[in-house]
Amino acid sequence: MGIMPHIFKEETLRAAKELGRWLEEKGLEARMLPGDAEAAGCPGRGVEEEEFLRGLDLVISLGGDGAMLRASSFAYRADAPVVGVNLGKKGFLTALEMEGMYAGLEEVLKGRYLLQERMLLECWIREGCGGRPLYAINEVVVGKRELQRMIRLEVEINGEYFHYYAGDGVIFSTPTGSTAYSLSAGGPIVEPTLECIILTPICSHSLVDRSVIISPQSEIEVLARREKVMPSISVDGREEVELPHGGKVLIRKAPRRLKMVKAVGYSFYTLLREKFEFPEGK
């Protein structure tokens, strides 16, 4: 079992140390990345990344949605399911609350849970990234670093010119990420088990630009014109990469889906109503 806490919160570090002890009392191996284990005060559980990923049965995230995104990226690479325990604010991606963590994990260990598979995005930078793909659970953002200048982006879909965007950038979101940055930029809410790519412009310098829902079979290519700004891409708000002059970004559906553990009885619409505090009906 892999444990991945938010390393800048004392509460999550304490929970990680106690959870490791709880798992070991059940005869299960509890492993952490070295930096996480050191921060949690249990360095003996720390293993290097390659060993951490090998043969993982489950990744347990402790924190909020940010911690869950980090843990999900490791779970995806190990092709293992991930379950989130919410110690943050919204906790939109997590399955359990802190007060019910052990009872919930008991159910998971007994096989009583709902396993959802979520689409991810695969992103390639045509020049300058050494051939390493980036994977997004929520979104890929092609944008800029200078706040007060516009960036100009040309978007092609399946080799055909689609549109020219001027503004702060463009968000390419998964359905899972539709309730994150894309929503803040005016994008639609999409049920997370669906498969599609959501294109949402950020502060577009046009009155007619709106979100576009694109087929998951499509390949999207974005050309960033450098001009007076430094273009960059950001993946799930964590990994930011500068784009070289004339660099192109290829975005498409990832070859595998993420396995995400949810509690039995999970309902996306109930979660949506509760997390965003929809008003009660009459």
Side-chain angles (χ1 to χ4, degrees), residues 236-280:
D236 286 338
R238 294 180 297 105
E239 190 160 6
E240 187 173 17
V241 181
E242 287 185 5
L243 289 178
H245 179 64
K248 288 186 177 182
V249 180
L250 175 68
I251 298 167
R252 61 191 175 197
K253 184 178 81 168
R256 289 187 290 106
R257 290 183 287 182
L258 173 70
K259 299 170 183 175
M260 191 176 288
V261 171
K262 297 294 182 185
V264 173
Y266 163 83
S267 164
F268 170 68
Y269 298 103
T270 298
L271 181 70
L272 195 66
R273 187 175 65 249
E274 291 176 350
K275 295 295 183 181
F276 286 111
E277 301 178 351
F278 286 6
E280 295 292 332

Side-chain angles (χ1 to χ4, degrees), residues 27-90:
L28 300 170
E29 178 192 9
R31 64 177 78 157
M32 302 170 70
L33 293 171
D36 294 0
E38 190 72 35
C42 47
R45 294 196 184 105
V47 295
E48 294 302 322
E49 188 173 305
E50 185 177 341
E51 177 63 23
F52 179 82
L53 294 172
R54 186 180 297 121
L56 268 182
D57 295 315
L58 179 70
V59 179
I60 304 170
S61 167
L62 302 173
D65 286 338
M68 184 66 174
L69 288 171
R70 174 177 177 250
S72 294
S73 68
F74 282 86
Y76 179 78
R77 289 165 58 193
D79 197 20
V82 60
V83 61
V85 180
N86 183 35
L87 290 90
K89 295 179 181 178
K90 285 289 183 189

Side-chain angles (χ1 to χ4, degrees), residues 12-41:
T12 61
L13 294 174
R14 285 196 302 271
K17 186 174 183 179
E18 293 167 5
L19 176 58
R21 189 180 304 118
W22 182 81
L23 289 170
E24 288 167 352
E25 287 172 357
K26 292 182 172 296
L28 300 170
E29 178 192 9
R31 64 177 78 157
M32 302 170 70
L33 293 171
D36 294 0
E38 190 72 35

Side-chain angles (χ1 to χ4, degrees), residues 7-255:
I7 63 170
F8 298 114
K9 291 184 177 180
E10 287 296 326
E11 184 182 8
T12 61
L13 294 174
R14 285 196 302 271
K17 186 174 183 179
E18 293 167 5
L19 176 58
R21 189 180 304 118
W22 182 81
L23 289 170
E24 288 167 352
E25 287 172 357
K26 292 182 172 296
L28 300 170
E29 178 192 9
R31 64 177 78 157
M32 302 170 70
L33 293 171
D36 294 0
E38 190 72 35
C42 47
R45 294 196 184 105
V47 295
E48 294 302 322
E49 188 173 305
E50 185 177 341
E51 177 63 23
F52 179 82
L53 294 172
R54 186 180 297 121
L56 268 182
D57 295 315
L58 179 70
V59 179
I60 304 170
S61 167
L62 302 173
D65 286 338
M68 184 66 174
L69 288 171
R70 174 177 177 250
S72 294
S73 68
F74 282 86
Y76 179 78
R77 289 165 58 193
D79 197 20
V82 60
V83 61
V85 180
N86 183 35
L87 290 90
K89 295 179 181 178
K90 285 289 183 189
F92 212 91
L93 298 176
T94 57
L96 306 171
E97 297 296 327
M98 181 59 196
E99 56 269 22
M101 177 175 71
Y102 292 111
L105 288 177
E106 283 277 11
E107 293 296 292
V108 171
L109 295 178
K110 291 174 182 176
R112 293 198 283 260
Y113 60 87
L114 174 66
L115 187 65
Q116 286 196 343
E117 293 192 346
R118 302 285 184 89
M119 176 191 135
L120 272 66
L121 294 178
E122 180 180 77
C123 173
W124 293 83
I125 302 174
R126 289 300 200 191
E127 292 92 18
C129 79
R132 181 172 65 95
L134 304 172
Y135 293 99
I137 294 104
N138 270 358
E139 73 274 310
V140 174
V141 179
V142 184
K144 60 188 177 62
R145 293 192 166 179
E146 289 85 350
L147 276 177
Q148 296 171 338
R149 294 182 183 273
M150 288 194 300
I151 190 170
R152 292 169 173 82
L153 303 172
E154 286 185 14
V155 175
E156 292 184 358
I157 301 175
N158 297 324
E160 178 184 352
Y161 172 79
F162 171 62
H163 195 30
Y164 182 84
Y165 291 95
D168 283 354
V170 178
I171 303 166
F172 298 92
S173 168
T174 66
T176 296
S178 71
T179 51
Y181 192 10
S182 176
L183 179 66
S184 298
I189 294 174
V190 179
E191 187 170 328
T193 55
L194 296 177
E195 291 199 342
C196 64
I197 302 170
I198 307 158
L199 183 162
T200 302
I202 310 168
C203 298
S204 175
H205 196 64
S206 169
L207 296 177
V208 297
D209 282 344
R210 293 292 183 269
S211 291
V212 180
I213 306 296
I214 300 169
S215 162
Q217 281 72 50
S218 294
E219 288 195 351
I220 302 166
E221 198 164 59
V222 185
L223 170 63
R225 298 198 177 280
R226 185 166 189 153
E227 297 180 352
K228 297 180 180 180
V229 299
M230 173 65 73
S232 64
I233 69 168
S234 174
V235 177
D236 286 338
R238 294 180 297 105
E239 190 160 6
E240 187 173 17
V241 181
E242 287 185 5
L243 289 178
H245 179 64
K248 288 186 177 182
V249 180
L250 175 68
I251 298 167
R252 61 191 175 197
K253 184 178 81 168

